[in-house]
Amino acid sequence: MLEVREIDAFYGPVQVLWEVSFRVEAGELVTLVGANGAGKTTTLRVLSGLLHPRRGQVLFEGKPIHHLPAHRVTDLGLALIPEGRQLFPDMTVEENLLTGSYLPRARRSRAESLARVYQAFPRLKERRHQLAGSLSGGEQQMLAIGRALMSQPRLLMLDEPSLGLAPLLVKEVFRIVEEIRAQGVTVLLVEQNVTQALAVADRAYVLENGRITLEGSGPELLGDERVRAAYLGI
């Protein structure tokens, strides 16, 4: 479904990614793990059209998308849930959800999508008239996921969804991610929580200093001595 070919990405004169290549097959849950500053968020910015690579290609179902603006990428079916959620705090829960369906393809079935989100997240339905800024951290993460689902994504990209959440809420977020994949949505998960991310992944890649250094199945990397030493303290 998604193929990244030798991407180089820069912020001005500063290079952040070097020849990054990986793939995501339809129906998979693929995770990209690494330390702070490894280039994980930059990779997602490139995939979502927020940053254009200086070299390399991003192909979605065989067609190049790395030159497209972000709204065109979203309309193709790629949705990004950014780090820190980036909700509109002074808008209600429902108003935030509706912003996820502003493109024509999603707008046509907005009511059905909203009903599905409320079914998946009953707490959001209970709080639909409440301001997003007054929600707990876990509720805000549910809202961010729900907003992305309103765009009817075929590939859902999540950037550090467990960031800042209590351990019980982290488990809930990962359960939700697995449920989304079970419903047929392909998932690319970027995470610092290496143990949880590799436990749910079909395949995984390790990004270090802007370069892919390891790849394999989730269980393979979870048992890899280099991963255990570098990220799990074992």
Side-chain angles (χ1 to χ4, degrees), residues 23-33 155 174 177-178 180-182 184-189 195-205 215-222:
R23 73 185 196 282
V24 181
E25 304 290 349
E28 280 191 315
L29 195 165
V30 173
T31 189
L32 186 64
V33 299
L155 173 61
F174 276 94
V177 170
E178 289 188 277
I180 290 169
R181 194 274 294 269
V185 178
T186 305
V187 176
L188 175 61
L189 172 66
T195 302
Q196 291 273 12
L198 294 180
V200 300
D202 296 309
R203 290 185 306 104
Y205 296 85
E215 62 179 280
S217 70
E220 284 172 351
L221 291 190
L222 198 54

PDB file of all heavy atoms in Angstrom, residues 23-33 155 174 177-178 180-182 184-189 195-205 215-222:
ATOM      1  N   ARG A  23       8.274  -0.136   3.837  1.00  0.00           N
ATOM      2  CA  ARG A  23       7.002  -0.373   3.156  1.00  0.00           C
ATOM      3  C   ARG A  23       5.935  -0.740   4.180  1.00  0.00           C
ATOM      4  O   ARG A  23       6.244  -1.224   5.276  1.00  0.00           O
ATOM      5  CB  ARG A  23       7.125  -1.483   2.110  1.00  0.00           C
ATOM      6  CG  ARG A  23       7.230  -2.874   2.700  1.00  0.00           C
ATOM      7  CD  ARG A  23       7.482  -3.960   1.657  1.00  0.00           C
ATOM      8  NE  ARG A  23       7.205  -5.276   2.172  1.00  0.00           N
ATOM      9  CZ  ARG A  23       8.010  -5.965   2.966  1.00  0.00           C
ATOM     10  NH1 ARG A  23       9.155  -5.456   3.355  1.00  0.00           N
ATOM     11  NH2 ARG A  23       7.660  -7.173   3.393  1.00  0.00           N
ATOM     12  N   VAL A  24       4.690  -0.516   3.810  1.00  0.00           N
ATOM     13  CA  VAL A  24       3.542  -0.918   4.621  1.00  0.00           C
ATOM     14  C   VAL A  24       2.568  -1.612   3.683  1.00  0.00           C
ATOM     15  O   VAL A  24       2.092  -1.009   2.717  1.00  0.00           O
ATOM     16  CB  VAL A  24       2.857   0.300   5.284  1.00  0.00           C
ATOM     17  CG1 VAL A  24       1.677  -0.165   6.133  1.00  0.00           C
ATOM     18  CG2 VAL A  24       3.843   1.103   6.126  1.00  0.00           C
ATOM     19  N   GLU A  25       2.281  -2.871   3.959  1.00  0.00           N
ATOM     20  CA  GLU A  25       1.335  -3.624   3.126  1.00  0.00           C
ATOM     21  C   GLU A  25      -0.094  -3.385   3.620  1.00  0.00           C
ATOM     22  O   GLU A  25      -0.320  -3.073   4.788  1.00  0.00           O
ATOM     23  CB  GLU A  25       1.653  -5.121   3.175  1.00  0.00           C
ATOM     24  CG  GLU A  25       3.075  -5.494   2.768  1.00  0.00           C
ATOM     25  CD  GLU A  25       3.340  -5.302   1.295  1.00  0.00           C
ATOM     26  OE1 GLU A  25       2.380  -5.071   0.541  1.00  0.00           O
ATOM     27  OE2 GLU A  25       4.521  -5.383   0.890  1.00  0.00           O
ATOM     28  N   ALA A  26      -1.054  -3.549   2.712  1.00  0.00           N
ATOM     29  CA  ALA A  26      -2.464  -3.368   3.069  1.00  0.00           C
ATOM     30  C   ALA A  26      -2.843  -4.316   4.205  1.00  0.00           C
ATOM     31  O   ALA A  26      -2.520  -5.507   4.179  1.00  0.00           O
ATOM     32  CB  ALA A  26      -3.349  -3.623   1.852  1.00  0.00           C
ATOM     33  N   GLY A  27      -3.511  -3.774   5.223  1.00  0.00           N
ATOM     34  CA  GLY A  27      -3.978  -4.574   6.352  1.00  0.00           C
ATOM     35  C   GLY A  27      -2.975  -4.761   7.464  1.00  0.00           C
ATOM     36  O   GLY A  27      -3.307  -5.321   8.510  1.00  0.00           O
ATOM     37  N   GLU A  28      -1.746  -4.277   7.286  1.00  0.00           N
ATOM     38  CA  GLU A  28      -0.721  -4.458   8.303  1.00  0.00           C
ATOM     39  C   GLU A  28      -0.795  -3.383   9.389  1.00  0.00           C
ATOM     40  O   GLU A  28      -1.336  -2.295   9.175  1.00  0.00           O
ATOM     41  CB  GLU A  28       0.677  -4.374   7.671  1.00  0.00           C
ATOM     42  CG  GLU A  28       1.141  -5.627   6.987  1.00  0.00           C
ATOM     43  CD  GLU A  28       2.621  -5.534   6.629  1.00  0.00           C
ATOM     44  OE1 GLU A  28       3.065  -4.494   6.115  1.00  0.00           O
ATOM     45  OE2 GLU A  28       3.338  -6.529   6.864  1.00  0.00           O
ATOM     46  N   LEU A  29      -0.188  -3.712  10.524  1.00  0.00           N
ATOM     47  CA  LEU A  29       0.144  -2.728  11.546  1.00  0.00           C
ATOM     48  C   LEU A  29       1.663  -2.700  11.612  1.00  0.00           C
ATOM     49  O   LEU A  29       2.293  -3.651  12.086  1.00  0.00           O
ATOM     50  CB  LEU A  29      -0.460  -3.102  12.903  1.00  0.00           C
ATOM     51  CG  LEU A  29      -0.507  -1.995  13.970  1.00  0.00           C
ATOM     52  CD1 LEU A  29      -1.449  -2.396  15.109  1.00  0.00           C
ATOM     53  CD2 LEU A  29       0.858  -1.637  14.533  1.00  0.00           C
ATOM     54  N   VAL A  30       2.229  -1.642  11.084  1.00  0.00           N
ATOM     55  CA  VAL A  30       3.686  -1.482  11.038  1.00  0.00           C
ATOM     56  C   VAL A  30       4.074  -0.383  12.013  1.00  0.00           C
ATOM     57  O   VAL A  30       3.404   0.649  12.100  1.00  0.00           O
ATOM     58  CB  VAL A  30       4.160  -1.134   9.612  1.00  0.00           C
ATOM     59  CG1 VAL A  30       5.656  -0.805   9.595  1.00  0.00           C
ATOM     60  CG2 VAL A  30       3.863  -2.293   8.664  1.00  0.00           C
ATOM     61  N   THR A  31       5.149  -0.606  12.747  1.00  0.00           N
ATOM     62  CA  THR A  31       5.589   0.413  13.704  1.00  0.00           C
ATOM     63  C   THR A  31       6.994   0.882  13.382  1.00  0.00           C
ATOM     64  O   THR A  31       7.832   0.115  12.894  1.00  0.00           O
ATOM     65  CB  THR A  31       5.513  -0.119  15.154  1.00  0.00           C
ATOM     66  OG1 THR A  31       5.749   0.942  16.063  1.00  0.00           O
ATOM     67  CG2 THR A  31       6.509  -1.227  15.399  1.00  0.00           C
ATOM     68  N   LEU A  32       7.206   2.160  13.643  1.00  0.00           N
ATOM     69  CA  LEU A  32       8.507   2.800  13.463  1.00  0.00           C
ATOM     70  C   LEU A  32       8.935   3.280  14.840  1.00  0.00           C
ATOM     71  O   LEU A  32       8.269   4.138  15.438  1.00  0.00           O
ATOM     72  CB  LEU A  32       8.365   3.970  12.490  1.00  0.00           C
ATOM     73  CG  LEU A  32       9.617   4.717  12.037  1.00  0.00           C
ATOM     74  CD1 LEU A  32      10.548   3.794  11.246  1.00  0.00           C
ATOM     75  CD2 LEU A  32       9.224   5.921  11.182  1.00  0.00           C
ATOM     76  N   VAL A  33      10.005   2.705  15.369  1.00  0.00           N
ATOM     77  CA  VAL A  33      10.432   3.035  16.723  1.00  0.00           C
ATOM     78  C   VAL A  33      11.805   3.686  16.694  1.00  0.00           C
ATOM     79  O   VAL A  33      12.573   3.546  15.743  1.00  0.00           O
ATOM     80  CB  VAL A  33      10.451   1.781  17.636  1.00  0.00           C
ATOM     81  CG1 VAL A  33       9.070   1.167  17.763  1.00  0.00           C
ATOM     82  CG2 VAL A  33      11.458   0.747  17.133  1.00  0.00           C
ATOM     83  N   LEU A 155      -5.195   4.417   5.376  1.00  0.00           N
ATOM     84  CA  LEU A 155      -3.946   4.263   6.118  1.00  0.00           C
ATOM     85  C   LEU A 155      -3.940   5.303   7.222  1.00  0.00           C
ATOM     86  O   LEU A 155      -3.992   6.510   6.955  1.00  0.00           O
ATOM     87  CB  LEU A 155      -2.738   4.456   5.199  1.00  0.00           C
ATOM     88  CG  LEU A 155      -1.365   4.494   5.882  1.00  0.00           C
ATOM     89  CD1 LEU A 155      -1.074   3.183   6.608  1.00  0.00           C
ATOM     90  CD2 LEU A 155      -0.268   4.797   4.869  1.00  0.00           C
ATOM     91  N   PHE A 174      -3.479   1.404  22.925  1.00  0.00           N
ATOM     92  CA  PHE A 174      -2.988   0.333  22.065  1.00  0.00           C
ATOM     93  C   PHE A 174      -4.102  -0.654  21.723  1.00  0.00           C
ATOM     94  O   PHE A 174      -4.129  -1.206  20.619  1.00  0.00           O
ATOM     95  CB  PHE A 174      -1.805  -0.380  22.724  1.00  0.00           C
ATOM     96  CG  PHE A 174      -0.486   0.320  22.480  1.00  0.00           C
ATOM     97  CD1 PHE A 174       0.007   1.234  23.401  1.00  0.00           C
ATOM     98  CD2 PHE A 174       0.243   0.091  21.340  1.00  0.00           C
ATOM     99  CE1 PHE A 174       1.198   1.902  23.184  1.00  0.00           C
ATOM    100  CE2 PHE A 174       1.443   0.738  21.098  1.00  0.00           C
ATOM    101  CZ  PHE A 174       1.923   1.652  22.028  1.00  0.00           C
ATOM    102  N   VAL A 177      -5.974   0.945  18.902  1.00  0.00           N
ATOM    103  CA  VAL A 177      -5.211   0.847  17.651  1.00  0.00           C
ATOM    104  C   VAL A 177      -5.380  -0.533  17.038  1.00  0.00           C
ATOM    105  O   VAL A 177      -5.586  -0.670  15.818  1.00  0.00           O
ATOM    106  CB  VAL A 177      -3.722   1.161  17.909  1.00  0.00           C
ATOM    107  CG1 VAL A 177      -2.878   0.824  16.680  1.00  0.00           C
ATOM    108  CG2 VAL A 177      -3.540   2.625  18.279  1.00  0.00           C
ATOM    109  N   GLU A 178      -5.312  -1.573  17.859  1.00  0.00           N
ATOM    110  CA  GLU A 178      -5.490  -2.932  17.337  1.00  0.00           C
ATOM    111  C   GLU A 178      -6.905  -3.127  16.803  1.00  0.00           C
ATOM    112  O   GLU A 178      -7.107  -3.806  15.787  1.00  0.00           O
ATOM    113  CB  GLU A 178      -5.184  -3.943  18.436  1.00  0.00           C
ATOM    114  CG  GLU A 178      -3.708  -4.039  18.781  1.00  0.00           C
ATOM    115  CD  GLU A 178      -3.423  -5.187  19.725  1.00  0.00           C
ATOM    116  OE1 GLU A 178      -3.600  -5.005  20.949  1.00  0.00           O
ATOM    117  OE2 GLU A 178      -3.047  -6.266  19.225  1.00  0.00           O
ATOM    118  N   ILE A 180      -8.828  -0.820  15.463  1.00  0.00           N
ATOM    119  CA  ILE A 180      -8.915  -0.100  14.196  1.00  0.00           C
ATOM    120  C   ILE A 180      -8.330  -0.951  13.072  1.00  0.00           C
ATOM    121  O   ILE A 180      -8.893  -1.057  11.983  1.00  0.00           O
ATOM    122  CB  ILE A 180      -8.190   1.254  14.303  1.00  0.00           C
ATOM    123  CG1 ILE A 180      -8.975   2.199  15.227  1.00  0.00           C
ATOM    124  CG2 ILE A 180      -8.001   1.895  12.923  1.00  0.00           C
ATOM    125  CD1 ILE A 180      -8.217   3.453  15.595  1.00  0.00           C
ATOM    126  N   ARG A 181      -7.176  -1.572  13.340  1.00  0.00           N
ATOM    127  CA  ARG A 181      -6.573  -2.452  12.332  1.00  0.00           C
ATOM    128  C   ARG A 181      -7.489  -3.643  12.031  1.00  0.00           C
ATOM    129  O   ARG A 181      -7.651  -4.053  10.879  1.00  0.00           O
ATOM    130  CB  ARG A 181      -5.205  -2.921  12.823  1.00  0.00           C
ATOM    131  CG  ARG A 181      -4.344  -3.571  11.729  1.00  0.00           C
ATOM    132  CD  ARG A 181      -4.619  -5.039  11.568  1.00  0.00           C
ATOM    133  NE  ARG A 181      -4.216  -5.758  12.733  1.00  0.00           N
ATOM    134  CZ  ARG A 181      -3.008  -6.291  12.883  1.00  0.00           C
ATOM    135  NH1 ARG A 181      -2.104  -6.188  11.937  1.00  0.00           N
ATOM    136  NH2 ARG A 181      -2.726  -6.954  13.988  1.00  0.00           N
ATOM    137  N   ALA A 182      -8.141  -4.191  13.059  1.00  0.00           N
ATOM    138  CA  ALA A 182      -9.035  -5.327  12.870  1.00  0.00           C
ATOM    139  C   ALA A 182     -10.233  -4.973  11.998  1.00  0.00           C
ATOM    140  O   ALA A 182     -10.829  -5.842  11.360  1.00  0.00           O
ATOM    141  CB  ALA A 182      -9.513  -5.857  14.221  1.00  0.00           C
ATOM    142  N   GLY A 184     -10.013  -3.257   9.350  1.00  0.00           N
ATOM    143  CA  GLY A 184      -9.574  -3.154   7.962  1.00  0.00           C
ATOM    144  C   GLY A 184      -8.763  -1.924   7.615  1.00  0.00           C
ATOM    145  O   GLY A 184      -8.421  -1.718   6.445  1.00  0.00           O
ATOM    146  N   VAL A 185      -8.448  -1.099   8.606  1.00  0.00           N
ATOM    147  CA  VAL A 185      -7.643   0.094   8.353  1.00  0.00           C
ATOM    148  C   VAL A 185      -6.169  -0.270   8.553  1.00  0.00           C
ATOM    149  O   VAL A 185      -5.790  -0.822   9.584  1.00  0.00           O
ATOM    150  CB  VAL A 185      -8.031   1.243   9.301  1.00  0.00           C
ATOM    151  CG1 VAL A 185      -7.145   2.469   9.039  1.00  0.00           C
ATOM    152  CG2 VAL A 185      -9.493   1.602   9.127  1.00  0.00           C
ATOM    153  N   THR A 186      -5.340   0.032   7.572  1.00  0.00           N
ATOM    154  CA  THR A 186      -3.904  -0.181   7.690  1.00  0.00           C
ATOM    155  C   THR A 186      -3.333   0.877   8.629  1.00  0.00           C
ATOM    156  O   THR A 186      -3.753   2.032   8.599  1.00  0.00           O
ATOM    157  CB  THR A 186      -3.243  -0.090   6.306  1.00  0.00           C
ATOM    158  OG1 THR A 186      -3.889  -1.028   5.426  1.00  0.00           O
ATOM    159  CG2 THR A 186      -1.764  -0.407   6.369  1.00  0.00           C
ATOM    160  N   VAL A 187      -2.363   0.489   9.467  1.00  0.00           N
ATOM    161  CA  VAL A 187      -1.860   1.384  10.510  1.00  0.00           C
ATOM    162  C   VAL A 187      -0.340   1.478  10.446  1.00  0.00           C
ATOM    163  O   VAL A 187       0.359   0.455  10.365  1.00  0.00           O
ATOM    164  CB  VAL A 187      -2.280   0.901  11.916  1.00  0.00           C
ATOM    165  CG1 VAL A 187      -1.664   1.790  13.000  1.00  0.00           C
ATOM    166  CG2 VAL A 187      -3.806   0.887  12.049  1.00  0.00           C
ATOM    167  N   LEU A 188       0.159   2.724  10.489  1.00  0.00           N
ATOM    168  CA  LEU A 188       1.583   2.988  10.687  1.00  0.00           C
ATOM    169  C   LEU A 188       1.708   3.722  12.012  1.00  0.00           C
ATOM    170  O   LEU A 188       1.194   4.825  12.173  1.00  0.00           O
ATOM    171  CB  LEU A 188       2.146   3.830   9.543  1.00  0.00           C
ATOM    172  CG  LEU A 188       3.611   4.280   9.708  1.00  0.00           C
ATOM    173  CD1 LEU A 188       4.543   3.077   9.811  1.00  0.00           C
ATOM    174  CD2 LEU A 188       4.031   5.183   8.549  1.00  0.00           C
ATOM    175  N   LEU A 189       2.389   3.093  12.954  1.00  0.00           N
ATOM    176  CA  LEU A 189       2.469   3.595  14.324  1.00  0.00           C
ATOM    177  C   LEU A 189       3.893   4.030  14.631  1.00  0.00           C
ATOM    178  O   LEU A 189       4.838   3.249  14.473  1.00  0.00           O
ATOM    179  CB  LEU A 189       2.040   2.484  15.292  1.00  0.00           C
ATOM    180  CG  LEU A 189       2.218   2.729  16.789  1.00  0.00           C
ATOM    181  CD1 LEU A 189       1.307   3.856  17.263  1.00  0.00           C
ATOM    182  CD2 LEU A 189       1.931   1.439  17.569  1.00  0.00           C
ATOM    183  N   THR A 195       8.341  -1.427  23.814  1.00  0.00           N
ATOM    184  CA  THR A 195       7.781  -2.728  24.190  1.00  0.00           C
ATOM    185  C   THR A 195       6.352  -2.878  23.687  1.00  0.00           C
ATOM    186  O   THR A 195       6.001  -3.885  23.047  1.00  0.00           O
ATOM    187  CB  THR A 195       7.814  -2.903  25.719  1.00  0.00           C
ATOM    188  OG1 THR A 195       9.158  -2.774  26.184  1.00  0.00           O
ATOM    189  CG2 THR A 195       7.285  -4.272  26.112  1.00  0.00           C
ATOM    190  N   GLN A 196       5.508  -1.895  23.962  1.00  0.00           N
ATOM    191  CA  GLN A 196       4.105  -1.961  23.536  1.00  0.00           C
ATOM    192  C   GLN A 196       3.998  -1.949  22.021  1.00  0.00           C
ATOM    193  O   GLN A 196       3.211  -2.690  21.425  1.00  0.00           O
ATOM    194  CB  GLN A 196       3.340  -0.770  24.117  1.00  0.00           C
ATOM    195  CG  GLN A 196       3.150  -0.821  25.620  1.00  0.00           C
ATOM    196  CD  GLN A 196       1.895  -1.589  26.018  1.00  0.00           C
ATOM    197  OE1 GLN A 196       1.288  -2.267  25.215  1.00  0.00           O
ATOM    198  NE2 GLN A 196       1.507  -1.479  27.257  1.00  0.00           N
ATOM    199  N   ALA A 197       4.782  -1.094  21.366  1.00  0.00           N
ATOM    200  CA  ALA A 197       4.687  -0.965  19.914  1.00  0.00           C
ATOM    201  C   ALA A 197       5.087  -2.257  19.209  1.00  0.00           C
ATOM    202  O   ALA A 197       4.400  -2.710  18.283  1.00  0.00           O
ATOM    203  CB  ALA A 197       5.560   0.190  19.439  1.00  0.00           C
ATOM    204  N   LEU A 198       6.197  -2.861  19.634  1.00  0.00           N
ATOM    205  CA  LEU A 198       6.640  -4.097  18.985  1.00  0.00           C
ATOM    206  C   LEU A 198       5.708  -5.260  19.302  1.00  0.00           C
ATOM    207  O   LEU A 198       5.565  -6.191  18.496  1.00  0.00           O
ATOM    208  CB  LEU A 198       8.070  -4.436  19.421  1.00  0.00           C
ATOM    209  CG  LEU A 198       9.150  -3.452  18.965  1.00  0.00           C
ATOM    210  CD1 LEU A 198      10.523  -3.910  19.454  1.00  0.00           C
ATOM    211  CD2 LEU A 198       9.149  -3.290  17.451  1.00  0.00           C
ATOM    212  N   ALA A 199       5.053  -5.227  20.457  1.00  0.00           N
ATOM    213  CA  ALA A 199       4.142  -6.308  20.830  1.00  0.00           C
ATOM    214  C   ALA A 199       2.928  -6.384  19.913  1.00  0.00           C
ATOM    215  O   ALA A 199       2.382  -7.472  19.696  1.00  0.00           O
ATOM    216  CB  ALA A 199       3.705  -6.136  22.283  1.00  0.00           C
ATOM    217  N   VAL A 200       2.497  -5.241  19.357  1.00  0.00           N
ATOM    218  CA  VAL A 200       1.296  -5.250  18.514  1.00  0.00           C
ATOM    219  C   VAL A 200       1.619  -5.229  17.025  1.00  0.00           C
ATOM    220  O   VAL A 200       0.731  -5.401  16.191  1.00  0.00           O
ATOM    221  CB  VAL A 200       0.377  -4.044  18.840  1.00  0.00           C
ATOM    222  CG1 VAL A 200      -0.057  -4.080  20.293  1.00  0.00           C
ATOM    223  CG2 VAL A 200       1.043  -2.714  18.506  1.00  0.00           C
ATOM    224  N   ALA A 201       2.903  -5.057  16.665  1.00  0.00           N
ATOM    225  CA  ALA A 201       3.272  -4.841  15.265  1.00  0.00           C
ATOM    226  C   ALA A 201       3.403  -6.139  14.484  1.00  0.00           C
ATOM    227  O   ALA A 201       3.913  -7.138  14.989  1.00  0.00           O
ATOM    228  CB  ALA A 201       4.587  -4.076  15.195  1.00  0.00           C
ATOM    229  N   ASP A 202       2.925  -6.100  13.239  1.00  0.00           N
ATOM    230  CA  ASP A 202       3.236  -7.194  12.303  1.00  0.00           C
ATOM    231  C   ASP A 202       4.700  -7.104  11.899  1.00  0.00           C
ATOM    232  O   ASP A 202       5.423  -8.091  11.895  1.00  0.00           O
ATOM    233  CB  ASP A 202       2.358  -7.087  11.051  1.00  0.00           C
ATOM    234  CG  ASP A 202       0.894  -7.272  11.366  1.00  0.00           C
ATOM    235  OD1 ASP A 202       0.553  -8.273  12.023  1.00  0.00           O
ATOM    236  OD2 ASP A 202       0.081  -6.425  10.958  1.00  0.00           O
ATOM    237  N   ARG A 203       5.114  -5.905  11.534  1.00  0.00           N
ATOM    238  CA  ARG A 203       6.505  -5.650  11.175  1.00  0.00           C
ATOM    239  C   ARG A 203       6.927  -4.323  11.788  1.00  0.00           C
ATOM    240  O   ARG A 203       6.081  -3.494  12.101  1.00  0.00           O
ATOM    241  CB  ARG A 203       6.704  -5.615   9.653  1.00  0.00           C
ATOM    242  CG  ARG A 203       6.542  -6.976   8.988  1.00  0.00           C
ATOM    243  CD  ARG A 203       6.864  -6.960   7.509  1.00  0.00           C
ATOM    244  NE  ARG A 203       6.094  -5.953   6.796  1.00  0.00           N
ATOM    245  CZ  ARG A 203       6.583  -4.803   6.376  1.00  0.00           C
ATOM    246  NH1 ARG A 203       7.856  -4.496   6.609  1.00  0.00           N
ATOM    247  NH2 ARG A 203       5.821  -3.931   5.741  1.00  0.00           N
ATOM    248  N   ALA A 204       8.251  -4.156  11.922  1.00  0.00           N
ATOM    249  CA  ALA A 204       8.745  -2.944  12.577  1.00  0.00           C
ATOM    250  C   ALA A 204      10.072  -2.524  11.978  1.00  0.00           C
ATOM    251  O   ALA A 204      10.822  -3.337  11.416  1.00  0.00           O
ATOM    252  CB  ALA A 204       8.901  -3.191  14.079  1.00  0.00           C
ATOM    253  N   TYR A 205      10.339  -1.229  12.111  1.00  0.00           N
ATOM    254  CA  TYR A 205      11.606  -0.643  11.671  1.00  0.00           C
ATOM    255  C   TYR A 205      12.165   0.201  12.805  1.00  0.00           C
ATOM    256  O   TYR A 205      11.403   0.855  13.519  1.00  0.00           O
ATOM    257  CB  TYR A 205      11.393   0.247  10.445  1.00  0.00           C
ATOM    258  CG  TYR A 205      10.899  -0.481   9.212  1.00  0.00           C
ATOM    259  CD1 TYR A 205       9.535  -0.714   9.030  1.00  0.00           C
ATOM    260  CD2 TYR A 205      11.788  -0.939   8.246  1.00  0.00           C
ATOM    261  CE1 TYR A 205       9.078  -1.379   7.906  1.00  0.00           C
ATOM    262  CE2 TYR A 205      11.339  -1.606   7.116  1.00  0.00           C
ATOM    263  CZ  TYR A 205       9.977  -1.832   6.951  1.00  0.00           C
ATOM    264  OH  TYR A 205       9.528  -2.489   5.840  1.00  0.00           O
ATOM    265  N   GLU A 215      15.196  -3.906  10.774  1.00  0.00           N
ATOM    266  CA  GLU A 215      13.807  -4.200  10.425  1.00  0.00           C
ATOM    267  C   GLU A 215      13.527  -5.671  10.661  1.00  0.00           C
ATOM    268  O   GLU A 215      14.434  -6.493  10.694  1.00  0.00           O
ATOM    269  CB  GLU A 215      13.521  -3.843   8.967  1.00  0.00           C
ATOM    270  CG  GLU A 215      14.327  -4.611   7.935  1.00  0.00           C
ATOM    271  CD  GLU A 215      13.944  -4.210   6.521  1.00  0.00           C
ATOM    272  OE1 GLU A 215      12.911  -4.711   6.021  1.00  0.00           O
ATOM    273  OE2 GLU A 215      14.662  -3.394   5.929  1.00  0.00           O
ATOM    274  N   GLY A 216      12.260  -5.988  10.868  1.00  0.00           N
ATOM    275  CA  GLY A 216      11.861  -7.367  11.090  1.00  0.00           C
ATOM    276  C   GLY A 216      10.456  -7.409  11.636  1.00  0.00           C
ATOM    277  O   GLY A 216       9.768  -6.383  11.720  1.00  0.00           O
ATOM    278  N   SER A 217       9.999  -8.602  12.018  1.00  0.00           N
ATOM    279  CA  SER A 217       8.681  -8.701  12.642  1.00  0.00           C
ATOM    280  C   SER A 217       8.745  -8.100  14.043  1.00  0.00           C
ATOM    281  O   SER A 217       9.833  -7.931  14.612  1.00  0.00           O
ATOM    282  CB  SER A 217       8.238 -10.163  12.728  1.00  0.00           C
ATOM    283  OG  SER A 217       9.022 -10.861  13.686  1.00  0.00           O
ATOM    284  N   GLY A 218       7.578  -7.767  14.594  1.00  0.00           N
ATOM    285  CA  GLY A 218       7.543  -7.230  15.946  1.00  0.00           C
ATOM    286  C   GLY A 218       8.235  -8.141  16.954  1.00  0.00           C
ATOM    287  O   GLY A 218       9.115  -7.693  17.700  1.00  0.00           O
ATOM    288  N   PRO A 219       7.872  -9.437  16.990  1.00  0.00           N
ATOM    289  CA  PRO A 219       8.519 -10.344  17.944  1.00  0.00           C
ATOM    290  C   PRO A 219      10.029 -10.481  17.715  1.00  0.00           C
ATOM    291  O   PRO A 219      10.788 -10.587  18.681  1.00  0.00           O
ATOM    292  CB  PRO A 219       7.803 -11.683  17.694  1.00  0.00           C
ATOM    293  CG  PRO A 219       6.456 -11.293  17.155  1.00  0.00           C
ATOM    294  CD  PRO A 219       6.708 -10.073  16.323  1.00  0.00           C
ATOM    295  N   GLU A 220      10.463 -10.467  16.449  1.00  0.00           N
ATOM    296  CA  GLU A 220      11.901 -10.573  16.173  1.00  0.00           C
ATOM    297  C   GLU A 220      12.669  -9.404  16.777  1.00  0.00           C
ATOM    298  O   GLU A 220      13.706  -9.595  17.429  1.00  0.00           O
ATOM    299  CB  GLU A 220      12.140 -10.602  14.656  1.00  0.00           C
ATOM    300  CG  GLU A 220      11.817 -11.927  13.993  1.00  0.00           C
ATOM    301  CD  GLU A 220      11.895 -11.847  12.477  1.00  0.00           C
ATOM    302  OE1 GLU A 220      12.030 -10.727  11.936  1.00  0.00           O
ATOM    303  OE2 GLU A 220      11.809 -12.907  11.843  1.00  0.00           O
ATOM    304  N   LEU A 221      12.176  -8.195  16.563  1.00  0.00           N
ATOM    305  CA  LEU A 221      12.883  -7.032  17.091  1.00  0.00           C
ATOM    306  C   LEU A 221      12.757  -6.935  18.611  1.00  0.00           C
ATOM    307  O   LEU A 221      13.661  -6.448  19.277  1.00  0.00           O
ATOM    308  CB  LEU A 221      12.369  -5.753  16.432  1.00  0.00           C
ATOM    309  CG  LEU A 221      12.718  -5.574  14.954  1.00  0.00           C
ATOM    310  CD1 LEU A 221      12.380  -4.170  14.493  1.00  0.00           C
ATOM    311  CD2 LEU A 221      14.187  -5.865  14.676  1.00  0.00           C
ATOM    312  N   LEU A 222      11.632  -7.420  19.146  1.00  0.00           N
ATOM    313  CA  LEU A 222      11.467  -7.406  20.596  1.00  0.00           C
ATOM    314  C   LEU A 222      12.501  -8.315  21.267  1.00  0.00           C
ATOM    315  O   LEU A 222      12.928  -8.067  22.395  1.00  0.00           O
ATOM    316  CB  LEU A 222      10.051  -7.849  20.965  1.00  0.00           C
ATOM    317  CG  LEU A 222       9.535  -7.522  22.370  1.00  0.00           C
ATOM    318  CD1 LEU A 222       9.667  -6.032  22.667  1.00  0.00           C
ATOM    319  CD2 LEU A 222       8.075  -7.960  22.509  1.00  0.00           C
TER     320      LEU A 222
END
